[in-house]
Amino acid sequence: MRLAERLRKDWFLVGIVVAIAGAKLRPSVGVNGGPLKPEITVSYIAVATIFFNSGLSLKTEELTSALVHLKLHLFIQIFTLAFFPATIWLFLQILSITTINEWLLKGLQTVGCMPPPVSSAVILTKAVGGNEAAAIFNSAFGSFLLGSSSSVPFTSIFSQLFMTVVVPLIIGQIVRRYIKDWLERKKPPFGAISSSVLLMIIYTTFCDTFSNPNIDLDKFSLVLILFIIVSIQLSFMLLTFIFSTRNNSGFTAADTVAIIFCSTHKSLTLGIPMLKIVFAGHEHLSLISVPLLIYHPAQILLGSVLVPTIKSWMVSRQKGVKLTRPTV
């Protein structure tokens, strides 16, 4: 069992390396408008596959219990939409006295205001074995909440979320009711399917990154902003971990996994249209967009690399809880 688990981890890490290398060699294949058509295959088909997969694998009771877990939802939404941007703002007050380009700093501030994405946070939570139902709700709700209060067309956001999240999830639940016994007997490889979709997302994301003309910085600025972004991500992941694992937090290990990914990931799909509307015609739009264009692939790569570590922690934590339960 341990050998099989180890092989799965190694396969996934090798897959990440191959995906990034492939994107670097031929970025034109996976860019929007390229042969792979990620604007359709990833934005719609891959995302819909993720949530159909979730609908099939999740018990209805798990979904309903996640919906009423108000404490968890409040934690994620307050951290994402209040604590994160406020902390970034304070951090940028310090960075503003340095020689870092002021428009890159403005771009970092806009990153802090973005909602979680509806795909990567969910798929990473599922890969670890965390509270997938809670991740689904908070990712979709965060995008819907911020999108409906911004300048991005409300109907566009609602229709895309409805068709790629709600509909596949409901269809998956309906299908599950008819093949429930078969699913429990055969145990289809839902995790492998999700990992494969994630590798496809990683590949197309880095294709866009490597071919994007907006990321045209000198090497020092590029390395510096990358270092700052990775540091921000790691710091916030650590903060959410500390806050959600306190003795009186009331969160399970599975909840903590959903909190880590949903609270720290930021949506590129919603973010770029928002930037183009808010900063329409702005001469420094390309520089303002750079932090978000870097944050997106960095969060997917960092999250993917940390999956085995977080999964090991969650499993050991769950075993510890079982051992401490009194026998009747």
Side-chain angles (χ1 to χ4, degrees):
M1 192 69 177
R2 289 182 179 176
L3 178 60
E5 182 66 25
R6 183 64 191 171
L7 288 174
R8 280 195 292 270
K9 290 178 183 178
D10 292 343
W11 168 83
F12 186 62
L13 292 175
V14 169
I16 292 173
V17 174
V18 171
I20 296 174
K24 178 65 176 175
L25 290 173
R26 293 290 299 275
S28 60
V29 175
V31 298
N32 284 346
L36 199 57
K37 300 291 182 185
E39 65 274 18
I40 297 173
T41 57
V42 173
S43 297
Y44 289 92
I45 297 175
V47 174
T49 300
I50 291 168
F51 289 99
F52 175 72
N53 191 20
S54 296
L56 274 180
S57 60
L58 282 172
K59 295 177 181 177
T60 305
E61 310 86 75
E62 292 175 334
L63 279 172
T64 52
S65 64
L67 286 175
V68 297
H69 199 338
L70 296 180
K71 185 177 181 179
L72 176 61
H73 305 325
L74 281 173
F75 182 99
I76 292 174
Q77 297 306 323
I78 291 173
F79 192 97
T80 303
L81 302 177
F83 183 83
F84 197 119
T87 306
I88 290 294
W89 182 83
L90 289 172
F91 179 54
L92 293 181
Q93 302 313 300
I94 299 172
L95 291 182
S96 64
I97 63 175
T98 67
T99 57
I100 301 174
N101 188 291
E102 65 174 302
W103 300 107
L104 288 177
L105 296 183
K106 287 186 183 297
L108 275 174
Q109 181 65 72
T110 61
V111 168
C113 299
M114 295 298 155
V118 295
S119 54
S120 62
V122 173
I123 203 167
L124 286 168
T125 300
K126 184 179 181 68
V128 173
N131 191 337
E132 183 185 352
I136 291 171
F137 175 83
N138 282 282
S139 294
F141 182 76
S143 294
F144 179 81
L145 183 67
L146 190 58
S148 62
S149 62
S150 68
S151 302
V152 180
F154 173 78
T155 52
S156 174
I157 294 170
F158 180 80
S159 59
Q160 184 171 0
L161 284 175
F162 185 76
M163 293 305 297
T164 59
V165 177
V166 179
V167 172
L169 189 65
I170 292 174
I171 293 174
Q173 282 284 286
I174 293 172
V175 173
R176 177 182 172 80
R177 298 187 69 161
Y178 291 98
I179 61 171
K180 182 179 178 181
D181 292 338
W182 180 85
L183 288 171
E184 292 179 353
R185 187 172 64 252
K186 294 294 185 180
K187 299 189 183 303
F190 291 119
I193 294 171
S194 296
S195 296
S196 299
V197 174
L198 180 57
L199 288 176
M200 182 180 179
I201 292 173
I202 290 172
Y203 171 70
T204 55
T205 298
F206 275 89
C207 282
D208 272 334
T209 302
F210 290 137
S211 62
N212 198 310
N214 290 330
I215 305 180
D216 186 22
L217 296 172
D218 59 276
K219 288 185 178 180
F220 175 75
S221 297
L222 192 60
V223 171
L224 183 61
I225 201 71
L226 179 61
F227 173 77
I228 291 172
I229 285 172
V230 172
S231 299
I232 288 172
Q233 289 181 9
L234 285 172
S235 298
F236 279 118
M237 289 178 84
L238 181 60
L239 273 176
T240 54
F241 177 80
I242 292 171
F243 289 158
S244 61
T245 54
R246 292 177 304 165
N247 291 332
N248 59 346
S249 69
F251 298 126
T252 65
D255 293 338
T256 294
V257 174
I259 287 170
I260 288 173
F261 291 123
C262 291
S263 300
T264 59
H265 279 215
K266 297 296 180 180
S267 174
L268 180 70
T269 305
L270 185 59
I272 291 300
M274 284 178 66
L275 288 179
K276 287 181 178 179
I277 291 171
V278 174
F279 297 100
H282 201 291
E283 61 177 319
H284 297 293
L285 175 59
S286 60
L287 278 175
I288 295 171
S289 303
V290 165
L292 183 57
L293 292 171
I294 294 176
Y295 194 100
H296 180 66
Q299 72 187 3
I300 295 175
L301 181 59
L302 183 61
S304 301
V305 170
L306 290 176
V307 161
T309 303
I310 299 175
K311 188 170 186 176
S312 296
W313 168 81
M314 192 190 76
V315 171
S316 63
R317 179 71 177 264
Q318 289 174 334
K319 285 180 179 177
V321 170
K322 289 179 181 178
L323 288 173
T324 55
R325 283 177 181 168
T327 55
V328 180

